[in-house]
Amino acid sequence: MRIILRKIRLCNEWLILAGSLLVGMAVVWLAIGGHVWGYYKMPGKILFLYPCFQMGQFYKKKLEKHDTMGNLPYFAIVIGIQLLLTLTCNGLAYSSVWCTGFANGPIIPYVTVVSGVAFWLRIAKILTPLLERNKYMIYLGKNTYAIMMHHVMAFMLVKMVVAGIAAITTGLADFDWQQFYNNIDYYYLVGGAEQFKLVYLLAGVILPLLLQYGQDNIMYKINKWVQTSKNDK
């Protein structure tokens, strides 16, 4: 879209935002009608998520310099919008991966996105002065892609460990083997404790980061070896 608009000299952030939102809402409308499936699912979810990317561009280029409101009124507005959505809209949860679950039409999903991102954006601004010099947080921030790509693998490893314990002991008698073998979304909670979800959460963050750290070290050594080999020649 940007390439085309540059060629016709209409590369305006407002125009791109409006155009991407119209396309995204059209995808939601088609998904509600059951038309985004099979080969249409991949382009559908890309076009649905594209306005979210453009919102980030729009904020950085147009809104960030004006984002000076105090924390109290800011959170009052954002949380007020979220409460209003919760009270007036039934079924806010939708799947951007499968392009399903849009129970409130084509506009509300993007209102939900904006309010959620706005909330965490201000939280990030508050925490930045406290964490910007923390090397672990910096490394995490630089490797969110690794977490996104490998967190499910980490969840599976946790489930495999739990399954191994259930197989050799009697302490996890309520472990559901049928669900374990047939349902990828089955997550066993030891003793039914909701707190055990923290184990999955930590594994989903820490294991991908360790994997990325190992990959970085291997690539560093390979590049160093290649550079040394070139210098020797």
Side-chain angles (χ1 to χ4, degrees):
M1 183 184 290
R2 288 181 180 273
I3 294 173
I4 295 172
L5 290 174
R6 283 196 190 101
K7 288 185 179 295
I8 61 176
R9 298 182 180 180
L10 284 175
C11 192
N12 180 280
E13 292 300 326
W14 288 93
L15 183 60
I16 296 172
L17 178 63
S20 62
L21 278 171
L22 286 174
V23 171
M25 287 189 287
V27 170
V28 174
W29 180 73
L30 289 169
I32 292 172
H35 303 294
V36 183
W37 57 277
Y39 293 113
Y40 302 111
K41 193 172 293 293
M42 180 60 72
K45 63 185 179 182
I46 291 173
L47 292 173
F48 168 69
L49 290 172
Y50 177 65
C52 304
F53 173 80
Q54 174 55 26
M55 287 175 194
Q57 294 289 312
F58 184 81
Y59 174 81
K60 182 175 180 62
K61 295 176 180 179
K62 297 291 184 181
L63 299 182
E64 187 172 21
K65 59 186 176 184
H66 303 295
D67 187 4
T68 57
M69 185 182 292
N71 291 332
L72 188 59
Y74 184 95
F75 282 121
I77 293 171
V78 171
I79 295 175
I81 292 172
Q82 293 176 340
L83 286 173
L84 188 63
L85 288 171
T86 302
L87 293 173
T88 60
C89 299
N90 188 21
L92 287 172
Y94 57 83
S95 172
S96 58
V97 174
W98 302 107
C99 276
T100 57
F102 300 110
N104 298 285
I107 298 176
I108 295 301
Y110 290 111
V111 177
T112 306
V113 167
V114 170
S115 65
V117 171
F119 177 84
W120 289 109
L121 179 64
R122 183 51 64 100
I123 294 292
K125 282 191 172 185
I126 294 171
L127 293 178
T128 295
L130 303 175
L131 301 175
E132 63 182 348
R133 299 184 185 279
N134 187 297
K135 63 180 182 179
Y136 299 108
M137 292 303 298
I138 292 172
Y139 191 76
L140 186 152
K142 288 181 177 180
N143 293 285
T144 52
Y145 182 78
I147 296 172
M148 179 186 72
M149 291 299 296
H150 304 308
H151 69 279
V152 175
M153 177 198 69
F155 295 162
M156 296 300 108
L157 288 174
V158 172
K159 287 197 285 187
M160 287 174 61
V161 170
V162 173
I165 295 172
I168 61 176
T169 69
T170 58
L172 305 178
D174 58 336
F175 186 85
D176 193 327
W177 288 98
Q178 184 176 0
Q179 286 289 322
F180 175 71
Y181 286 126
N182 297 290
N183 184 5
I184 193 172
D185 293 321
Y186 173 64
Y187 294 100
Y188 176 74
L189 303 179
V190 176
E194 289 290 316
Q195 292 84 349
F196 194 75
K197 290 180 180 179
L198 288 173
V199 176
Y200 290 104
L201 174 63
L202 291 173
V205 174
I206 294 173
L207 292 181
L209 289 179
L210 290 175
L211 183 64
Q212 183 65 43
Y213 182 76
Q215 179 182 312
D216 290 342
N217 276 309
I218 291 171
M219 292 305 299
Y220 173 78
K221 290 178 180 179
I222 291 174
N223 290 332
K224 188 175 180 180
W225 176 77
V226 170
Q227 191 63 41
T228 302
S229 299
K230 287 182 179 179
N231 293 337
D232 290 343
K233 291 179 181 180

